[in-house]
Amino acid sequence: MGIEYFTKEEIFYLVRLAADKQEALDDKDYGYFFPIVAQNITYGVFAFSFGEKDLNKKQKVFLELISDQTAQALRMYRLMVEQQEAKVMMEAEKVKNSFLRSISHDLRTPLTGIIGASSTLLEEGNKIPYEIQTKLIEGIQNDSQWLLNMIENILSITKVQKNDMVIDKSEEIVEEVIEGAVSTFRKRFPNAKVIVNQPENVILLPIDIMLISQVLINLLENTQKHAQGQKSDVVIEVKEMGDFVSFIIADNGPGIDPKILPMLFNFTVTSENLYKDSTRDLGIGLSICKTIIRAHGGEIYANNRPEGGAQFMFTIPLCREKYEKNY
């Protein structure tokens, strides 16, 4: 029998009939049809054609045995897949709950500071010296800015984690992207020293500029927020590496606790780890960075520098054809 046997309408009918009845069918013109059934679930149908010679009882029993064994194997595979899916769902739920706990903790602290400072100003404003009033207002401003950054972070990770989301890329000049991120960073940390080293030639990258800027700002702010009171200078270096452009953000601060380096980009680290201060958490921002970079087709890494301090590097694919065409 050739392949045309399996394309006949009669064969499709007999296959459906065997599947619906969950019984073996013996048709003198078209052959034998054994449904693959286990636990009242039909996984498929074996169709055996036999030409002029009929099959004897022993052969039929053998074919039924093959059908039964196949059904059991498929049932075990289905159970294994269902167990794996259940495990993935449990892990996803665990991660989601950890994420929500982290957000709750991170939002509560600055909100408490804003409420406390504003209440003090309203109730005792006339009695408070000007210098203290200024510090309270600066605290309100800083906490409000941080809350705004947190909201932008949450919106960013929601945007790139949608399965049907298409990253809105456009060709951007790397130098201008870095300049914008550094400018935003300096508004919060005007005393921080930032050195930028990049190639003299113009580099175009296909990126979502809002998301990549968020990555740069998060990494830059982490160099100061986790400096543990030390002065932390920052060096940003841009390199072309084949079909990728790498961004390296290095500081000379205290570095990263080696115990949490393997899970640094997983936001579940935020609830109980050591690498955080009293009001600002590291894990959420880095999880967002990882999600954004991978959505762009790149990778992100972190390590401690031998001479001291932390170093983060992420890569973005370079649109080589357009880049060479225009420059």
Side-chain angles (χ1 to χ4, degrees):
M1 291 288 181
I3 191 66
E4 64 276 1
Y5 165 81
F6 296 98
T7 61
K8 292 181 180 180
E9 184 177 346
E10 294 84 357
I11 298 299
F12 284 115
Y13 170 75
L14 292 169
V15 166
R16 286 194 298 268
L17 187 61
D20 292 341
K21 289 187 174 183
Q22 295 186 341
E23 296 177 357
L25 296 180
D26 183 355
D27 187 278
K28 62 183 181 63
D29 296 321
Y30 296 106
Y32 292 91
F33 301 86
F34 296 101
I36 305 171
V37 181
Q39 297 291 310
N40 205 36
I41 298 174
T42 302
Y43 295 95
V45 175
F46 279 128
F48 299 97
S49 62
F50 52 83
E52 296 181 358
K53 187 177 180 180
D54 197 1
L55 298 178
N56 57 42
K57 184 176 180 181
K58 186 176 181 180
Q59 290 172 324
K60 291 180 181 179
V61 170
F62 178 71
L63 293 177
E64 289 178 358
L65 179 62
I66 292 176
S67 174
D68 182 64
Q69 293 296 317
T70 302
Q72 294 302 323
L74 289 172
R75 175 174 174 269
M76 293 302 296
Y77 175 75
R78 178 181 178 182
L79 289 175
M80 182 181 68
V81 170
E82 289 177 348
Q83 289 176 355
Q84 186 64 30
E85 290 176 348
K87 183 178 179 181
V88 170
M89 289 180 65
M90 289 176 62
E91 288 298 322
E93 187 69 19
K94 186 177 178 181
V95 168
K96 184 186 73 172
N97 291 337
S98 178
F99 183 60
L100 292 175
R101 285 195 301 271
S102 298
I103 292 177
S104 176
H105 171 271
D106 282 357
L107 293 181
R108 187 180 295 113
T109 303
L111 282 172
T112 301
I114 292 172
I115 293 171
S118 59
S119 297
T120 300
L121 288 170
L122 286 172
E123 296 171 5
E124 307 290 338
N126 296 331
K127 303 176 183 178
I128 300 174
Y130 176 78
E131 293 79 7
I132 297 179
Q133 289 186 33
T134 301
K135 288 184 178 180
L136 290 173
I137 294 172
E138 287 176 351
I140 293 173
Q141 184 182 44
N142 289 336
D143 283 337
S144 299
Q145 183 61 50
W146 188 87
L147 286 173
L148 179 60
N149 290 342
M150 171 61 76
I151 292 171
E152 290 176 350
N153 282 347
I154 295 171
L155 291 176
S156 295
I157 200 170
T158 301
K159 177 181 179 183
V160 297
Q161 282 187 331
K162 290 181 180 178
N163 293 330
D164 58 348
M165 175 64 191
V166 177
I167 298 297
D168 184 18
K169 296 181 181 180
S170 59
E171 287 194 338
E172 304 291 343
I173 299 175
V174 170
E175 182 179 0
E176 294 180 355
V177 176
I178 293 178
E179 184 179 338
V182 171
S183 176
T184 301
F185 166 70
R186 280 182 170 146
K187 290 178 181 178
R188 288 202 62 197
F189 302 95
N191 297 323
K193 182 180 179 180
V194 181
I195 299 174
V196 180
N197 298 323
Q198 54 187 328
E200 294 182 359
N201 59 304
V202 176
I203 302 177
L204 288 177
L205 272 185
I207 58 173
D208 183 315
I209 187 170
M210 185 273 288
L211 295 178
I212 296 302
S213 295
Q214 191 67 54
V215 169
L216 288 167
I217 294 168
N218 279 344
L219 295 179
L220 287 169
E221 291 186 349
N222 279 337
T223 66
Q224 307 303 306
K225 292 189 295 186
H226 302 281
Q228 299 179 10
Q230 300 181 27
K231 181 182 179 182
S232 183
D233 298 332
V234 184
V235 176
I236 304 174
E237 188 172 5
V238 179
K239 295 181 179 179
E240 290 187 63
M241 303 172 60
D243 294 330
F244 291 83
V245 173
S246 69
F247 297 77
I248 303 171
I249 294 89
D251 64 54
N252 58 358
I256 305 168
D257 189 331
K259 294 180 181 178
I260 69 167
L261 262 176
M263 51 186 179
L264 193 61
F265 296 98
N266 182 348
F267 55 67
T268 58
V269 74
T270 61
S271 60
E272 298 177 354
N273 67 64
L274 303 175
Y275 194 51
K276 64 181 181 180
D277 60 29
S278 61
T279 60
R280 300 295 183 260
D281 204 300
L282 176 68
I284 293 177
L286 291 182
S287 175
I288 293 169
C289 291
K290 177 181 177 180
T291 305
I292 292 171
I293 296 303
R294 287 197 168 179
H296 280 78
E299 292 292 341
I300 186 167
Y301 314 91
N303 64 277
N304 285 316
R305 304 166 66 205
E307 62 271 33
Q311 177 174 276
F312 290 84
M313 183 183 81
F314 66 88
T315 58
I316 298 291
L318 181 65
C319 187
R320 177 63 66 182
E321 292 182 3
K322 284 190 174 183
Y323 176 67
E324 292 179 344
K325 181 179 178 182
N326 293 322
Y327 292 86

